[in-house]
Amino acid sequence: MSKKLKAYLTIIYLACFSVLVILSINYSYKIDFFDITFLLIVTFVMNNYSIFFNYITEIKTSMTLPVLLSAFYFVNPLWAGIIAAVGTITFKEEIKYFVWYKFLFNRAVFFLASSAGALIFNLTTPVLDSNSFPIMSTLFASIIYFIVNNFLVYVVINLADNDVNQMSLLSYFRELSKNLITSYFLGLVLLASYMYFSKVLFVLVIILLFIIKDFFYSRLQQMNSYTQIIESFLKVIDSKDHYTEGHCERVANYTYHLCNEMNLSRAKSEKIISIAKIHDIGKIYVDDDILRSSDKLSEQEYKEIKRHTEYGYQLLKDIDLINDELDIILYHHERWDGRGYPEGLKGEKIPVGARILTACDSLDVMITGRTYKPPMTKEEIIAEFKKCSGGQFDPEIARKMIQLIKDGYFDDKFKSEEKIRELELSLEY
Ligand SMILES: [Fe+2]
Ligand SMILES: [Fe+2]
């Protein structure tokens, strides 16, 4: 341990001790045993049995502050500090891997932060919330608690020579401040239930929060497995069809931009983009020789390639997670004028996701070219979208696509004139 760190820890211990003595002199006679015990037990249980939102934000936000807001209201600063210091002892980390100076430091930090928060609460309540629910004073108290707690921890992290954790004070606070807002509002809900109803409701609200946490967590796990499925499919497609390697990924990227322009709900856009990533999955059932053939395809072979839309749909239709927008895969080669496949759907009968995908799919073919045709220039692509608007493409989508191209969204993707000429020459021989 460095000298600086030792000195810092000593200062914190002394500060904690001094504050404890000063507060004991001023407040020890005011004891509401029942409230103190209740809040202490709740804080302790919360800290040892769940860390709220931990999985979602990946930052440890415990329920300590929300519970402490009630302590600021119901008990004096001395006891608010003690509740925080004792209630935050965790069996899993601190008792099992006991290191005395870390243990003491944590107690001191919680004590100082909580008693500072409670003092600010007591000072501001008569001024800001004299006859009303203490919205403002709890806000100030939360901010003070947050600053004291995180600043003391920030210093110790930086003194501990831990490279991984070196970040500027500002970005450290910015990262954590999202949790402050959540904690503050949760704290208000808890305080209101404690003040106006009872301890029973207070506990019920906490249980409800746990249920919500579980809900979010299982949603998050579901999302993760969904992404994993998509990614493994993507690898399968790329390994199967080297010529179009990266095609699906690029199409998904174009889809992202086009969806943004289309004013779709975020959930819908996300689904369309995910499906775009695997839209050609059905090609894994198409014979390799046909896929890789650089000769002109026979009618039979072409028919087989076209079936990749149905193959893809059949393959995925039993997976619940993906099912929602699956017809995008089935219809991504339909045309606005009804001359597409597999069903020859026309106009708005084609799902909007599929219409978006058609435009993005074609854009990638135009940009990268195929064995039988060279890539097109930016101007040629714009002209092509104009020409095919109302034919292959939904006119509105074509218009938006042209705008995106003109606005330079895909400029890094287009090949230069020279490169295209080179490719053209190589195709002729
Ligand atoms: Fe396709
Ligand atoms: Fe495609």
PDB file of all heavy atoms in Angstrom, residues 358-389:
ATOM      1  N   THR A 358     -35.724  -4.798 -49.261  1.00  0.00           N
ATOM      2  CA  THR A 358     -35.520  -4.894 -50.712  1.00  0.00           C
ATOM      3  C   THR A 358     -34.596  -3.770 -51.186  1.00  0.00           C
ATOM      4  O   THR A 358     -33.644  -4.006 -51.939  1.00  0.00           O
ATOM      5  CB  THR A 358     -36.871  -4.750 -51.454  1.00  0.00           C
ATOM      6  OG1 THR A 358     -37.758  -5.698 -50.911  1.00  0.00           O
ATOM      7  CG2 THR A 358     -36.732  -4.961 -52.944  1.00  0.00           C
ATOM      8  N   ALA A 359     -34.890  -2.564 -50.721  1.00  0.00           N
ATOM      9  CA  ALA A 359     -34.090  -1.415 -51.153  1.00  0.00           C
ATOM     10  C   ALA A 359     -32.648  -1.552 -50.674  1.00  0.00           C
ATOM     11  O   ALA A 359     -31.700  -1.316 -51.437  1.00  0.00           O
ATOM     12  CB  ALA A 359     -34.712  -0.129 -50.623  1.00  0.00           C
ATOM     13  N   CYS A 360     -32.487  -1.987 -49.430  1.00  0.00           N
ATOM     14  CA  CYS A 360     -31.123  -2.081 -48.871  1.00  0.00           C
ATOM     15  C   CYS A 360     -30.351  -3.230 -49.500  1.00  0.00           C
ATOM     16  O   CYS A 360     -29.149  -3.124 -49.750  1.00  0.00           O
ATOM     17  CB  CYS A 360     -31.197  -2.264 -47.364  1.00  0.00           C
ATOM     18  SG  CYS A 360     -31.955  -0.859 -46.559  1.00  0.00           S
ATOM     19  N   ASP A 361     -31.052  -4.327 -49.736  1.00  0.00           N
ATOM     20  CA  ASP A 361     -30.445  -5.493 -50.379  1.00  0.00           C
ATOM     21  C   ASP A 361     -29.932  -5.096 -51.771  1.00  0.00           C
ATOM     22  O   ASP A 361     -28.787  -5.369 -52.142  1.00  0.00           O
ATOM     23  CB  ASP A 361     -31.540  -6.569 -50.499  1.00  0.00           C
ATOM     24  CG  ASP A 361     -30.969  -7.949 -50.763  1.00  0.00           C
ATOM     25  OD1 ASP A 361     -29.795  -8.174 -50.436  1.00  0.00           O
ATOM     26  OD2 ASP A 361     -31.708  -8.795 -51.301  1.00  0.00           O
ATOM     27  N   SER A 362     -30.784  -4.394 -52.517  1.00  0.00           N
ATOM     28  CA  SER A 362     -30.386  -3.977 -53.872  1.00  0.00           C
ATOM     29  C   SER A 362     -29.238  -2.980 -53.815  1.00  0.00           C
ATOM     30  O   SER A 362     -28.336  -3.032 -54.654  1.00  0.00           O
ATOM     31  CB  SER A 362     -31.563  -3.323 -54.602  1.00  0.00           C
ATOM     32  OG  SER A 362     -32.648  -4.186 -54.557  1.00  0.00           O
ATOM     33  N   LEU A 363     -29.297  -2.095 -52.829  1.00  0.00           N
ATOM     34  CA  LEU A 363     -28.214  -1.112 -52.712  1.00  0.00           C
ATOM     35  C   LEU A 363     -26.869  -1.825 -52.573  1.00  0.00           C
ATOM     36  O   LEU A 363     -25.883  -1.460 -53.212  1.00  0.00           O
ATOM     37  CB  LEU A 363     -28.455  -0.207 -51.490  1.00  0.00           C
ATOM     38  CG  LEU A 363     -27.335   0.797 -51.188  1.00  0.00           C
ATOM     39  CD1 LEU A 363     -27.252   1.859 -52.284  1.00  0.00           C
ATOM     40  CD2 LEU A 363     -27.527   1.458 -49.832  1.00  0.00           C
ATOM     41  N   ASP A 364     -26.852  -2.883 -51.752  1.00  0.00           N
ATOM     42  CA  ASP A 364     -25.579  -3.584 -51.553  1.00  0.00           C
ATOM     43  C   ASP A 364     -25.105  -4.259 -52.841  1.00  0.00           C
ATOM     44  O   ASP A 364     -23.919  -4.243 -53.153  1.00  0.00           O
ATOM     45  CB  ASP A 364     -25.696  -4.629 -50.438  1.00  0.00           C
ATOM     46  CG  ASP A 364     -24.331  -5.173 -50.057  1.00  0.00           C
ATOM     47  OD1 ASP A 364     -23.476  -4.346 -49.665  1.00  0.00           O
ATOM     48  OD2 ASP A 364     -24.097  -6.384 -50.187  1.00  0.00           O
ATOM     49  N   VAL A 365     -26.058  -4.836 -53.582  1.00  0.00           N
ATOM     50  CA  VAL A 365     -25.676  -5.467 -54.860  1.00  0.00           C
ATOM     51  C   VAL A 365     -25.120  -4.406 -55.804  1.00  0.00           C
ATOM     52  O   VAL A 365     -24.108  -4.620 -56.479  1.00  0.00           O
ATOM     53  CB  VAL A 365     -26.896  -6.189 -55.484  1.00  0.00           C
ATOM     54  CG1 VAL A 365     -26.541  -6.739 -56.857  1.00  0.00           C
ATOM     55  CG2 VAL A 365     -27.366  -7.302 -54.564  1.00  0.00           C
ATOM     56  N   MET A 366     -25.763  -3.230 -55.850  1.00  0.00           N
ATOM     57  CA  MET A 366     -25.295  -2.163 -56.737  1.00  0.00           C
ATOM     58  C   MET A 366     -23.905  -1.683 -56.318  1.00  0.00           C
ATOM     59  O   MET A 366     -23.040  -1.436 -57.145  1.00  0.00           O
ATOM     60  CB  MET A 366     -26.262  -0.972 -56.706  1.00  0.00           C
ATOM     61  CG  MET A 366     -27.625  -1.261 -57.305  1.00  0.00           C
ATOM     62  SD  MET A 366     -28.645   0.238 -57.204  1.00  0.00           S
ATOM     63  CE  MET A 366     -30.259  -0.455 -56.957  1.00  0.00           C
ATOM     64  N   ILE A 367     -23.691  -1.568 -55.016  1.00  0.00           N
ATOM     65  CA  ILE A 367     -22.402  -1.062 -54.532  1.00  0.00           C
ATOM     66  C   ILE A 367     -21.271  -2.076 -54.753  1.00  0.00           C
ATOM     67  O   ILE A 367     -20.172  -1.717 -55.160  1.00  0.00           O
ATOM     68  CB  ILE A 367     -22.488  -0.700 -53.027  1.00  0.00           C
ATOM     69  CG1 ILE A 367     -23.327   0.563 -52.827  1.00  0.00           C
ATOM     70  CG2 ILE A 367     -21.102  -0.479 -52.427  1.00  0.00           C
ATOM     71  CD1 ILE A 367     -23.531   0.983 -51.379  1.00  0.00           C
ATOM     72  N   THR A 368     -21.566  -3.353 -54.459  1.00  0.00           N
ATOM     73  CA  THR A 368     -20.472  -4.342 -54.516  1.00  0.00           C
ATOM     74  C   THR A 368     -20.366  -5.056 -55.860  1.00  0.00           C
ATOM     75  O   THR A 368     -19.321  -5.609 -56.180  1.00  0.00           O
ATOM     76  CB  THR A 368     -20.658  -5.423 -53.422  1.00  0.00           C
ATOM     77  OG1 THR A 368     -21.983  -5.917 -53.515  1.00  0.00           O
ATOM     78  CG2 THR A 368     -20.427  -4.863 -52.051  1.00  0.00           C
ATOM     79  N   GLY A 369     -21.452  -5.068 -56.637  1.00  0.00           N
ATOM     80  CA  GLY A 369     -21.430  -5.790 -57.906  1.00  0.00           C
ATOM     81  C   GLY A 369     -21.581  -7.288 -57.683  1.00  0.00           C
ATOM     82  O   GLY A 369     -21.619  -7.753 -56.537  1.00  0.00           O
ATOM     83  N   ARG A 370     -21.715  -8.020 -58.752  1.00  0.00           N
ATOM     84  CA  ARG A 370     -21.826  -9.477 -58.674  1.00  0.00           C
ATOM     85  C   ARG A 370     -20.868 -10.089 -59.701  1.00  0.00           C
ATOM     86  O   ARG A 370     -20.247  -9.373 -60.473  1.00  0.00           O
ATOM     87  CB  ARG A 370     -23.275  -9.923 -58.969  1.00  0.00           C
ATOM     88  CG  ARG A 370     -24.215  -9.706 -57.806  1.00  0.00           C
ATOM     89  CD  ARG A 370     -23.919 -10.715 -56.697  1.00  0.00           C
ATOM     90  NE  ARG A 370     -24.749 -10.504 -55.501  1.00  0.00           N
ATOM     91  CZ  ARG A 370     -24.390  -9.789 -54.438  1.00  0.00           C
ATOM     92  NH1 ARG A 370     -23.228  -9.170 -54.421  1.00  0.00           N
ATOM     93  NH2 ARG A 370     -25.177  -9.697 -53.405  1.00  0.00           N
ATOM     94  N   THR A 371     -20.784 -11.416 -59.686  1.00  0.00           N
ATOM     95  CA  THR A 371     -19.838 -12.031 -60.634  1.00  0.00           C
ATOM     96  C   THR A 371     -20.110 -11.604 -62.076  1.00  0.00           C
ATOM     97  O   THR A 371     -19.210 -11.520 -62.885  1.00  0.00           O
ATOM     98  CB  THR A 371     -19.920 -13.571 -60.586  1.00  0.00           C
ATOM     99  OG1 THR A 371     -21.277 -13.939 -60.429  1.00  0.00           O
ATOM    100  CG2 THR A 371     -19.067 -14.119 -59.477  1.00  0.00           C
ATOM    101  N   TYR A 372     -21.363 -11.365 -62.370  1.00  0.00           N
ATOM    102  CA  TYR A 372     -21.737 -11.066 -63.750  1.00  0.00           C
ATOM    103  C   TYR A 372     -21.917  -9.575 -64.029  1.00  0.00           C
ATOM    104  O   TYR A 372     -22.130  -9.175 -65.150  1.00  0.00           O
ATOM    105  CB  TYR A 372     -23.028 -11.813 -64.122  1.00  0.00           C
ATOM    106  CG  TYR A 372     -24.065 -11.689 -63.012  1.00  0.00           C
ATOM    107  CD1 TYR A 372     -24.968 -10.624 -62.994  1.00  0.00           C
ATOM    108  CD2 TYR A 372     -24.109 -12.613 -61.974  1.00  0.00           C
ATOM    109  CE1 TYR A 372     -25.875 -10.487 -61.959  1.00  0.00           C
ATOM    110  CE2 TYR A 372     -25.018 -12.491 -60.934  1.00  0.00           C
ATOM    111  CZ  TYR A 372     -25.896 -11.420 -60.930  1.00  0.00           C
ATOM    112  OH  TYR A 372     -26.794 -11.285 -59.910  1.00  0.00           O
ATOM    113  N   LYS A 373     -21.874  -8.751 -63.007  1.00  0.00           N
ATOM    114  CA  LYS A 373     -21.949  -7.310 -63.287  1.00  0.00           C
ATOM    115  C   LYS A 373     -21.102  -6.473 -62.322  1.00  0.00           C
ATOM    116  O   LYS A 373     -21.044  -6.779 -61.134  1.00  0.00           O
ATOM    117  CB  LYS A 373     -23.394  -6.819 -63.339  1.00  0.00           C
ATOM    118  CG  LYS A 373     -24.143  -6.870 -62.048  1.00  0.00           C
ATOM    119  CD  LYS A 373     -25.537  -6.269 -62.258  1.00  0.00           C
ATOM    120  CE  LYS A 373     -26.367  -6.455 -61.010  1.00  0.00           C
ATOM    121  NZ  LYS A 373     -27.757  -6.381 -61.174  1.00  0.00           N
ATOM    122  N   PRO A 374     -20.440  -5.464 -62.858  1.00  0.00           N
ATOM    123  CA  PRO A 374     -19.549  -4.660 -62.022  1.00  0.00           C
ATOM    124  C   PRO A 374     -20.337  -3.757 -61.078  1.00  0.00           C
ATOM    125  O   PRO A 374     -21.530  -3.532 -61.290  1.00  0.00           O
ATOM    126  CB  PRO A 374     -18.784  -3.823 -63.046  1.00  0.00           C
ATOM    127  CG  PRO A 374     -19.702  -3.712 -64.201  1.00  0.00           C
ATOM    128  CD  PRO A 374     -20.505  -4.965 -64.245  1.00  0.00           C
ATOM    129  N   PRO A 375     -19.666  -3.207 -60.060  1.00  0.00           N
ATOM    130  CA  PRO A 375     -20.348  -2.269 -59.160  1.00  0.00           C
ATOM    131  C   PRO A 375     -20.777  -1.005 -59.899  1.00  0.00           C
ATOM    132  O   PRO A 375     -20.276  -0.720 -60.982  1.00  0.00           O
ATOM    133  CB  PRO A 375     -19.268  -1.917 -58.134  1.00  0.00           C
ATOM    134  CG  PRO A 375     -18.161  -2.873 -58.334  1.00  0.00           C
ATOM    135  CD  PRO A 375     -18.251  -3.401 -59.709  1.00  0.00           C
ATOM    136  N   MET A 376     -21.672  -0.256 -59.311  1.00  0.00           N
ATOM    137  CA  MET A 376     -22.127   0.990 -59.939  1.00  0.00           C
ATOM    138  C   MET A 376     -21.582   2.188 -59.156  1.00  0.00           C
ATOM    139  O   MET A 376     -21.276   2.076 -57.969  1.00  0.00           O
ATOM    140  CB  MET A 376     -23.664   1.034 -59.932  1.00  0.00           C
ATOM    141  CG  MET A 376     -24.289  -0.052 -60.793  1.00  0.00           C
ATOM    142  SD  MET A 376     -26.002  -0.374 -60.355  1.00  0.00           S
ATOM    143  CE  MET A 376     -26.840   0.870 -61.269  1.00  0.00           C
ATOM    144  N   THR A 377     -21.511   3.313 -59.836  1.00  0.00           N
ATOM    145  CA  THR A 377     -21.055   4.530 -59.154  1.00  0.00           C
ATOM    146  C   THR A 377     -22.223   5.129 -58.364  1.00  0.00           C
ATOM    147  O   THR A 377     -23.375   4.743 -58.561  1.00  0.00           O
ATOM    148  CB  THR A 377     -20.571   5.592 -60.157  1.00  0.00           C
ATOM    149  OG1 THR A 377     -21.695   5.938 -60.972  1.00  0.00           O
ATOM    150  CG2 THR A 377     -19.443   5.086 -61.015  1.00  0.00           C
ATOM    151  N   LYS A 378     -21.896   6.095 -57.518  1.00  0.00           N
ATOM    152  CA  LYS A 378     -22.930   6.749 -56.699  1.00  0.00           C
ATOM    153  C   LYS A 378     -24.033   7.313 -57.595  1.00  0.00           C
ATOM    154  O   LYS A 378     -25.232   7.106 -57.330  1.00  0.00           O
ATOM    155  CB  LYS A 378     -22.255   7.858 -55.887  1.00  0.00           C
ATOM    156  CG  LYS A 378     -23.169   8.586 -54.941  1.00  0.00           C
ATOM    157  CD  LYS A 378     -22.370   9.545 -54.056  1.00  0.00           C
ATOM    158  CE  LYS A 378     -23.284  10.435 -53.249  1.00  0.00           C
ATOM    159  NZ  LYS A 378     -22.568  11.352 -52.349  1.00  0.00           N
ATOM    160  N   GLU A 379     -23.628   7.992 -58.662  1.00  0.00           N
ATOM    161  CA  GLU A 379     -24.623   8.620 -59.551  1.00  0.00           C
ATOM    162  C   GLU A 379     -25.482   7.563 -60.246  1.00  0.00           C
ATOM    163  O   GLU A 379     -26.694   7.717 -60.366  1.00  0.00           O
ATOM    164  CB  GLU A 379     -23.931   9.495 -60.616  1.00  0.00           C
ATOM    165  CG  GLU A 379     -23.284  10.756 -60.073  1.00  0.00           C
ATOM    166  CD  GLU A 379     -22.090  10.484 -59.156  1.00  0.00           C
ATOM    167  OE1 GLU A 379     -21.356   9.482 -59.415  1.00  0.00           O
ATOM    168  OE2 GLU A 379     -21.911  11.229 -58.174  1.00  0.00           O
ATOM    169  N   GLU A 380     -24.837   6.487 -60.669  1.00  0.00           N
ATOM    170  CA  GLU A 380     -25.601   5.411 -61.337  1.00  0.00           C
ATOM    171  C   GLU A 380     -26.613   4.801 -60.372  1.00  0.00           C
ATOM    172  O   GLU A 380     -27.738   4.474 -60.755  1.00  0.00           O
ATOM    173  CB  GLU A 380     -24.635   4.319 -61.826  1.00  0.00           C
ATOM    174  CG  GLU A 380     -23.866   4.716 -63.076  1.00  0.00           C
ATOM    175  CD  GLU A 380     -22.728   3.740 -63.398  1.00  0.00           C
ATOM    176  OE1 GLU A 380     -22.284   3.015 -62.490  1.00  0.00           O
ATOM    177  OE2 GLU A 380     -22.286   3.727 -64.548  1.00  0.00           O
ATOM    178  N   ILE A 381     -26.196   4.665 -59.120  1.00  0.00           N
ATOM    179  CA  ILE A 381     -27.106   4.062 -58.121  1.00  0.00           C
ATOM    180  C   ILE A 381     -28.315   4.970 -57.878  1.00  0.00           C
ATOM    181  O   ILE A 381     -29.458   4.509 -57.842  1.00  0.00           O
ATOM    182  CB  ILE A 381     -26.354   3.768 -56.805  1.00  0.00           C
ATOM    183  CG1 ILE A 381     -25.320   2.677 -57.041  1.00  0.00           C
ATOM    184  CG2 ILE A 381     -27.321   3.349 -55.703  1.00  0.00           C
ATOM    185  CD1 ILE A 381     -24.410   2.365 -55.864  1.00  0.00           C
ATOM    186  N   ILE A 382     -28.055   6.266 -57.763  1.00  0.00           N
ATOM    187  CA  ILE A 382     -29.176   7.210 -57.584  1.00  0.00           C
ATOM    188  C   ILE A 382     -30.133   7.096 -58.771  1.00  0.00           C
ATOM    189  O   ILE A 382     -31.357   6.999 -58.606  1.00  0.00           O
ATOM    190  CB  ILE A 382     -28.644   8.659 -57.437  1.00  0.00           C
ATOM    191  CG1 ILE A 382     -27.884   8.783 -56.109  1.00  0.00           C
ATOM    192  CG2 ILE A 382     -29.790   9.672 -57.504  1.00  0.00           C
ATOM    193  CD1 ILE A 382     -27.202  10.114 -55.878  1.00  0.00           C
ATOM    194  N   ALA A 383     -29.553   7.051 -59.982  1.00  0.00           N
ATOM    195  CA  ALA A 383     -30.376   6.941 -61.193  1.00  0.00           C
ATOM    196  C   ALA A 383     -31.192   5.647 -61.182  1.00  0.00           C
ATOM    197  O   ALA A 383     -32.369   5.623 -61.550  1.00  0.00           O
ATOM    198  CB  ALA A 383     -29.478   6.999 -62.427  1.00  0.00           C
ATOM    199  N   GLU A 384     -30.565   4.584 -60.704  1.00  0.00           N
ATOM    200  CA  GLU A 384     -31.241   3.276 -60.670  1.00  0.00           C
ATOM    201  C   GLU A 384     -32.435   3.313 -59.711  1.00  0.00           C
ATOM    202  O   GLU A 384     -33.510   2.806 -60.023  1.00  0.00           O
ATOM    203  CB  GLU A 384     -30.217   2.209 -60.233  1.00  0.00           C
ATOM    204  CG  GLU A 384     -30.731   0.773 -60.245  1.00  0.00           C
ATOM    205  CD  GLU A 384     -30.938   0.199 -61.648  1.00  0.00           C
ATOM    206  OE1 GLU A 384     -30.495   0.847 -62.634  1.00  0.00           O
ATOM    207  OE2 GLU A 384     -31.575  -0.870 -61.739  1.00  0.00           O
ATOM    208  N   PHE A 385     -32.227   3.925 -58.542  1.00  0.00           N
ATOM    209  CA  PHE A 385     -33.345   4.010 -57.590  1.00  0.00           C
ATOM    210  C   PHE A 385     -34.483   4.863 -58.159  1.00  0.00           C
ATOM    211  O   PHE A 385     -35.656   4.571 -57.939  1.00  0.00           O
ATOM    212  CB  PHE A 385     -32.875   4.553 -56.232  1.00  0.00           C
ATOM    213  CG  PHE A 385     -32.420   3.456 -55.295  1.00  0.00           C
ATOM    214  CD1 PHE A 385     -31.083   3.185 -55.122  1.00  0.00           C
ATOM    215  CD2 PHE A 385     -33.356   2.667 -54.635  1.00  0.00           C
ATOM    216  CE1 PHE A 385     -30.664   2.155 -54.274  1.00  0.00           C
ATOM    217  CE2 PHE A 385     -32.956   1.636 -53.788  1.00  0.00           C
ATOM    218  CZ  PHE A 385     -31.593   1.377 -53.611  1.00  0.00           C
ATOM    219  N   LYS A 386     -34.110   5.926 -58.895  1.00  0.00           N
ATOM    220  CA  LYS A 386     -35.161   6.752 -59.519  1.00  0.00           C
ATOM    221  C   LYS A 386     -35.934   5.934 -60.533  1.00  0.00           C
ATOM    222  O   LYS A 386     -37.162   5.948 -60.570  1.00  0.00           O
ATOM    223  CB  LYS A 386     -34.503   7.954 -60.226  1.00  0.00           C
ATOM    224  CG  LYS A 386     -34.324   9.131 -59.303  1.00  0.00           C
ATOM    225  CD  LYS A 386     -33.859  10.359 -60.070  1.00  0.00           C
ATOM    226  CE  LYS A 386     -33.420  11.418 -59.068  1.00  0.00           C
ATOM    227  NZ  LYS A 386     -32.389  12.306 -59.576  1.00  0.00           N
ATOM    228  N   LYS A 387     -35.171   5.203 -61.338  1.00  0.00           N
ATOM    229  CA  LYS A 387     -35.782   4.419 -62.417  1.00  0.00           C
ATOM    230  C   LYS A 387     -36.715   3.333 -61.858  1.00  0.00           C
ATOM    231  O   LYS A 387     -37.801   3.108 -62.386  1.00  0.00           O
ATOM    232  CB  LYS A 387     -34.665   3.764 -63.251  1.00  0.00           C
ATOM    233  CG  LYS A 387     -35.142   3.209 -64.580  1.00  0.00           C
ATOM    234  CD  LYS A 387     -33.996   2.588 -65.356  1.00  0.00           C
ATOM    235  CE  LYS A 387     -33.923   1.101 -65.049  1.00  0.00           C
ATOM    236  NZ  LYS A 387     -32.741   0.446 -65.574  1.00  0.00           N
ATOM    237  N   CYS A 388     -36.279   2.699 -60.800  1.00  0.00           N
ATOM    238  CA  CYS A 388     -37.052   1.559 -60.272  1.00  0.00           C
ATOM    239  C   CYS A 388     -38.080   1.952 -59.210  1.00  0.00           C
ATOM    240  O   CYS A 388     -38.741   1.091 -58.631  1.00  0.00           O
ATOM    241  CB  CYS A 388     -36.113   0.506 -59.706  1.00  0.00           C
ATOM    242  SG  CYS A 388     -34.988  -0.138 -60.916  1.00  0.00           S
ATOM    243  N   SER A 389     -38.171   3.269 -58.914  1.00  0.00           N
ATOM    244  CA  SER A 389     -39.171   3.717 -57.953  1.00  0.00           C
ATOM    245  C   SER A 389     -40.560   3.411 -58.515  1.00  0.00           C
ATOM    246  O   SER A 389     -40.876   3.770 -59.647  1.00  0.00           O
ATOM    247  CB  SER A 389     -38.990   5.228 -57.724  1.00  0.00           C
ATOM    248  OG  SER A 389     -40.101   5.732 -57.047  1.00  0.00           O
TER     249      SER A 389
END
